[in-house]
Each structure stands twice: as structure tokens, then as C-alpha cells.
């Protein structure tokens, strides 16, 4: 819409998102909290979705490490007990605004088993 509107206010703008702590270390079996901070330049309501992006991590087990509310700015993660030191877990927070069209931006947190 930026190409066809006459003003900044005439188009929807993407939310601005960042992870509170983008990198952290946690022991196998330990639970930690991850949080994303987001604002929307247009004041649109925002929805959150945390995903354990297993293909990008190095943990070879089948356990999903998300243990909290995935539809919140803040959620909890538990490193599986069978994780080995150095295994990584790549968590992505997808934040979407309720503008038209809806726009999405991402934050990433990488947890390393220590």
C-alpha cells in the first residue's frame, strides 16, 4: 500500500519485534522464560506465536522444548533432559498485526544446552 497511498497513515506498517535475551544457556531439564517485545507503529493489536524451529537447532531428539503458552509474548521452555552439552534450540516468535493487510515480523532466541 505504500506505493499507492498519499500519506504514511494510509498504509499498514509492520510491527517492530525483538527478543529480550536472544541467546542463553540452560542445563538439561532446566526451564527458562523467553520473551519478545513488540510494538506496532499504527497501534494495531498484535498476536504472538512461539515455534520451536527444530530444523534449525542441533538437538537430535524428538522432544519439543516449548512448555508454556505459545500464544503469548512470554513463554517457558524446558531443555529436554536428554540434551547434550552444546545442543541448540532455535525458538522463533512470530508477531502479526491486525492491520490490512496483516503484516508479520519475527524474533529469534537460541538456547544452548550447557
Amino acid at each position: 500500500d505504500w506505493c499507492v497511498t498519499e500519506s504514511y497513515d494510509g498504509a499498514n506498517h509492520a510491527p517492530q519485534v525483538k527478543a529480550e535475551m536472544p541467546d542463553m544457556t540452560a542445563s538439561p531439564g532446566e526451564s527458562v522464560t523467553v520473551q519478545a517485545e513488540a510494538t506496532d507503529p499504527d497501534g494495531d493489536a498484535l498476536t504472538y506465536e512461539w515455534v520451536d524451529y527444530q530444523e534449525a537447532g542441533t538437538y537430535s531428539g524428538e522432544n519439543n522444548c516449548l512448555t508454556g503458552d505459545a500464544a503469548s509474548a512470554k513463554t517457558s521452555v524446558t531443555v529436554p533432559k536428554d540434551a547434550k552439552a552444546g545442543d541448540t534450540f532455535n525458538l522463533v516468535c512470530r508477531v502479526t498485526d491486525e492491520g490490512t493487510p496483516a503484516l508479520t515480523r519475527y524474533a529469534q532466541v537460541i538456547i544452548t544446552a550447557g
Side-chain angles (χ1 to χ4, degrees):
D1 286 342
W2 298 338
C3 297
V4 295
T5 59
E6 294 183 21
S7 70
Y8 178 89
D9 294 335
N12 187 31
H13 300 85
Q16 299 168 348
V17 184
K18 70 176 186 171
E20 184 177 86
M21 290 181 60
D23 299 309
M24 61 177 64
T25 301
S27 300
E30 181 180 359
S31 292
V32 295
T33 299
V34 293
Q35 183 169 345
E37 297 176 5
T39 58
D40 187 82
D42 306 308
D44 295 326
L46 300 172
T47 58
Y48 296 80
E49 181 184 10
W50 283 95
V51 177
D52 179 2
Y53 184 26
Q54 294 177 340
E55 295 86 354
T58 61
Y59 170 68
S60 61
E62 296 183 19
N63 295 318
N64 183 326
C65 65
L66 286 172
T67 54
D69 181 6
S72 174
K74 183 185 341 182
T75 192
S76 56
V77 175
T78 301
V79 175
K81 290 183 180 183
D82 64 346
K84 295 173 182 57
D87 281 349
T88 59
F89 300 85
N90 192 315
L91 303 161
V92 176
C93 184
R94 178 178 24 229
V95 180
T96 303
D97 72 8
E98 291 186 2
T100 303
L103 298 174
T104 303
R105 292 294 181 266
Y106 303 87
Q108 175 179 295
V109 174
I110 297 174
I111 299 174
T112 302

